[in-house]
Amino acid sequence: MKTAFYPGSFDPATNGHMDILGRALALADSVIVAIGIHPAKKGLFTFEERKAVLVKSAKAAFGDKANAMSVISFEGLVVDAAILHGASILIRGLRDATDFDYEMQMAGMNGVMAPDIQTVFLPASPATRPITATLVRQIAAMGGDISAFVPKAAAEALKTHFKA
């Protein structure tokens, strides 16, 4: 059984994240979506809120295939968390050459620390390539329409957050 580990902040989950998640679900028997928690960084949403958006969005997008996904939080090194959860594949999405350069360095270092875990790069689809969670948060904070960039559950969470 192949388990993939898909780490990120998912703050919020975007259509780009969902694009990569859907392809990861097609590659592996199970996918662990791992939300990185850094004590010194305060996210827009709590872990529980991010998890709820991911689960709701995955069920809407992938139906029963979403049952092969679990969502966890982790601190520390991605490879340590992947090993702890029995993953053999590390999923990384690529939007552009800048992502590629950074991710190649990370894959090299991770390969030394955890040689049994294979990094798999999945290129963003053309429609999701420009989307970043940072830009989505900025647009939402200024009252812009982010519906083209995030799943419905994330759009609703952002709208609620910025109304408060």
Side-chain angles (χ1 to χ4, degrees), residues 43-124:
L44 184 64
F45 295 109
T46 67
F47 164 74
E48 291 80 13
E49 290 168 326
R50 294 180 218 186
K51 179 178 179 178
V53 166
L54 279 162
V55 168
K56 189 173 184 180
S57 299
K59 286 183 192 251
F62 312 121
D64 288 342
K65 188 70 175 160
N67 295 333
M69 176 193 81
S70 59
V71 181
I72 61 143
S73 67
F74 77 98
E75 292 182 31
L77 295 174
V78 167
V79 290
D80 289 344
I83 290 167
L84 179 67
H85 291 280
S88 59
I89 301 168
L90 185 60
I91 299 291
R92 301 303 295 168
L94 300 174
R95 289 177 300 222
D96 57 24
T98 303
D99 283 353
F100 179 77
D101 288 342
Y102 175 75
E103 292 295 343
M104 282 296 290
Q105 291 174 336
M106 290 249 303
M109 300 293 277
N110 288 341
V112 171
M113 292 185 289
D116 292 334
I117 297 179
Q118 299 302 310
T119 299
V120 174
F121 297 127
L122 296 175

Side-chain angles (χ1 to χ4, degrees), residues 10-15 17-18 50 53-54 57 133 136 149-151 154:
F10 305 97
D11 191 30
T14 67
N15 289 343
H17 292 129
M18 300 309 292
R50 294 180 218 186
V53 166
L54 279 162
S57 299
V136 166
F149 310 122
V150 296

